[in-house]
Amino acid sequence: MDMRILILGGDGYLGWPTALYLSKNGHDVGVVDNFLRRHYDDEMGVSSLTPIAHLKHRIDVWDAATGLTITPYIGDLVDANFLEETIRDFEPEAIVHFAEQRSAPYSMIDREHAVHTQTNNVVGTLNLLYLIAEIDPSIHLVKLGTMGEYGTPNIDIEEGYIEITHKGRTDVLPFPKQPGSFYHLSKVHDSHNIHFACRTWGLRATDLNQGVVYGQETNETILHPDLMTRFDYDAVFGTVLNRFCVQASIGHPLTVYGTGNQTRGMLDIRDTLQCVELALLNPANEGEMRVYNQFTESFSLNKLASLVKAASHEDIEISHIDDPRVEAEEHYYRAAHTKLLDLGLKPHLLSQSLIESLIETAIEFRDRIDHKAILPTVSWRHTKSKLVTAGKNN
Ligand code: NAD
Ligand code: USQ
């Protein structure tokens, strides 16, 4: 079943390879982006480990390599007029929404960054919900959420909803959320808004609570060097396993925060693409917000560090540094993740060869690594000095 699919955030780490994958699989793909992520690179003074071509150029390269067309729309989701024109022009049957500020540390820099994160993410999604309701409520929204919405409760995490019996009465309710950053909170706010729009206006949505993604190559991005996706390794935007592989490539001690007993659900970037397509092919019903927990395995940070150390040819040190975040370092973690497997997901489980290939990629581009960007600089703790830095006196 080929579809017209609009991908919001199609210039990003996950949005770009998803666009190629869906295009190759016969879908008619449009991508929307305002290059906010490239702007954050300028702001932070770092750039992707891998050189990334401009969006219009890589779309041309994809066209030349495959004969397949991807339609670009350059603009901001927070600009409702732009988004309305885009949706009316492309007439999508489904919209995949990746287009948010997605770094937890970035959202914790200071008040401005927290406000920007929640404004960009919550307002962009709210514009989208209104426009779907106004233009075509049958459009299936596939929204990227995060496993971090749940936090680390001392009970098993279910897929979106939990049956609760309270004082003799029973109901199925949204699973309680205890997110760990203003970024993760923005995803919770989105989930509530999406759930409300489904219940109230009869929209159909799938919320993909995705774990931490690792990996860099997909079957499509390797077709040409200019099709590469970005790969972040700095302490603000880099995610943990990708960072450890880059650290190993330059002989930097692996930066485990705190005890390293924090456990997270994780998945290979190739599985993100599969999961998104499975969600698209199995749309939620009218009025339903379906929720899938999108990860394939869970690992403690200590386990990840030991796997990277084992895959590295050099003798890499594992260093435990003070955790800049406020997060449980010792906790129970068991999260359901069967629904995507039931739909046919074939996971790429984490292997030594994948870690070796990530370290090799980092070695290939080691001249682009800024060693000063490795150690964390953003603290979760709200100190007076932070307010003084931000120009406030109380
Ligand atoms: P990314 O920052 O690389 O990509 C996001 C893209 O959206 C960027 O190209 C950015 O320019 C664009 N964007 C942001 N705000 C926009 C706006 N207002 N208008 C138009 N475009 C906008 O992030 P990513 O790693 O590809 O993540 C994509 C999505 O998946 C995010 O929603 C993120 O929260 C979620 N997610 C990512 C991971 C991960 O490990 N990378 C894990 C779980 C969930
Ligand atoms: N961590 C380290 N050392 C590092 C980097 C991180 O020990 O050098 C730890 C963190 O303290 C945390 C864990 O690793 O306990 C994961 O951190 P991360 O930066 O890899 O992931 P996170 O901040 O949770 O955010 C990433 C993406 C985000 C997505 C989320 C999925 O940036 O967009 O939503 O993963 S989840 O974690 O399931 O919420």
Side-chain angles (χ1 to χ4, degrees):
M1 190 176 62
D2 301 338
M3 273 182 258
R4 288 181 67 74
I5 304 168
L6 192 60
I7 299 179
L8 313 182
D11 189 48
Y13 170 55
L14 302 177
W16 172 246
T18 302
L20 301 187
Y21 180 80
L22 295 174
S23 172
K24 181 209 63 188
N25 286 355
H27 303 290
D28 195 351
V29 173
V31 293
V32 176
D33 211 291
N34 65 348
F35 306 130
L36 193 54
R37 181 66 193 86
R38 294 178 189 246
H39 161 79
Y40 298 144
D41 279 346
D42 296 340
E43 181 192 351
M44 297 286 122
V46 283
S47 45
S48 164
L49 169 79
T50 47
I52 43 167
H54 192 273
L55 179 63
K56 284 192 173 149
H57 175 68
R58 45 189 188 174
I59 286 176
D60 288 345
V61 171
W62 176 248
D63 190 345
T66 62
L68 297 165
T69 305
I70 292 175
T71 312
Y73 295 90
I74 310 306
D76 188 342
L77 266 60
V78 174
D79 175 352
N81 292 332
F82 158 77
L83 193 57
E84 174 169 7
E85 281 165 23
T86 301
I87 296 173
R88 289 199 190 282
D89 185 70
F90 190 74
E91 298 183 336
E93 295 164 83
I95 296 179
V96 184
H97 179 13
F98 290 101
E100 299 204 324
Q101 190 301 97
R102 71 116 177 107
S103 157
Y106 186 91
S107 75
M108 299 300 292
I109 292 174
D110 58 15
R111 182 182 59 81
E112 281 82 358
H113 290 80
V115 169
H116 164 77
T117 299
Q118 295 212 350
T119 306
N120 186 64
N121 296 0
V122 178
V123 174
T125 301
L126 194 51
N127 278 342
L128 182 61
L129 292 170
Y130 259 94
L131 290 168
I132 291 175
E134 277 164 31
I135 297 170
D136 179 2
S138 74
I139 293 171
H140 177 211
L141 170 62
V142 174
K143 165 69 169 50
L144 272 290
T146 178
M147 283 302 292
E149 290 183 40
Y150 300 116
T152 50
N154 199 29
I155 58 171
D156 285 18
I157 295 169
E158 304 301 332
E159 295 199 61
Y161 300 92
I162 183 170
E163 185 177 299
I164 296 179
T165 301
H166 179 62
K167 296 186 178 172
R169 301 185 63 82
T170 300
D171 203 349
V172 175
L173 297 166
F175 195 92
K177 306 285 176 74
Q178 300 183 89
S181 73
F182 285 120
Y183 153 71
H184 288 97
L185 273 154
S186 75
K187 295 290 193 183
V188 173
H189 304 328
D190 283 344
S191 294
H192 285 146
N193 286 344
I194 297 167
H195 195 201
F196 178 80
C198 290
R199 284 182 285 131
T200 310
W201 299 332
L203 302 195
R204 53 179 81 220
T206 301
D207 200 3
L208 298 174
N209 283 340
Q210 182 168 244
V212 188
V213 181
Y214 56 83
Q216 204 271 325
E217 291 183 339
T218 69
N219 290 339
E220 295 70 49
T221 62
I222 58 174
L223 290 179
H224 190 285
D226 289 354
L227 295 176
M228 255 187 280
T229 195
R230 60 177 307 122
F231 188 92
D232 298 305
Y233 66 90
D234 62 285
V236 174
F237 276 92
T239 48
V240 62
L241 181 56
N242 290 353
R243 271 169 61 68
F244 286 173
C245 291
V246 170
Q247 292 164 6
S249 78
I250 54 170
H252 192 290
L254 306 185
T255 56
V256 174
Y257 298 165
T259 64
N261 289 325
Q262 303 93 313
T263 299
R264 296 289 181 268
M266 313 226 5
L267 72 163
D268 186 300
I269 189 169
R270 292 168 293 180
D271 292 340
T272 296
L273 318 187
Q274 273 194 77
C275 291
V276 167
E277 193 181 38
L278 286 168
L280 287 163
L281 295 176
N282 298 276
N285 299 317
E286 199 180 304
E288 181 191 11
M289 181 179 85
R290 193 169 286 189
V291 182
Y292 300 139
N293 289 347
Q294 182 166 310
F295 70 97
T296 58
E297 294 174 278
S298 41
F299 297 97
S300 72
L301 307 178
N302 286 329
K303 179 68 180 173
L304 290 176
S306 68
L307 290 171
V308 173
K309 183 178 168 70
S312 173
H313 296 306
E314 289 182 46
D315 188 19
I316 299 295
E317 200 187 311
I318 297 177
S319 87
H320 288 263
I321 58 180
D322 284 347
D323 196 335
R325 306 186 182 199
V326 176
E327 60 185 355
E329 293 178 24
E330 313 289 332
H331 61 88
Y332 176 77
Y333 195 79
R334 211 167 94 103
H337 57 112
T338 54
K339 290 187 183 174
L340 285 158
L341 292 168
D342 291 346
L343 293 179
L345 171 66
K346 303 272 180 294
H348 294 84
L349 299 181
L350 183 58
S351 63
Q352 174 148 340
S353 62
L354 189 276
I355 296 176
E356 285 169 355
S357 80
L358 285 177
I359 296 174
E360 275 162 28
T361 302
I363 290 171
E364 184 185 347
F365 295 109
R366 67 191 308 166
D367 291 349
R368 294 172 57 87
I369 300 172
D370 178 355
H371 295 221
K372 294 192 297 302
I374 303 277
L375 287 176
T377 50
V378 179
S379 169
W380 259 230
R381 290 162 185 86
H382 191 74
T383 60
K384 193 157 179 154
S385 62
K386 206 168 174 181
L387 287 176
V388 170
T389 311
K392 303 281 182 290
N393 53 15
N394 60 9

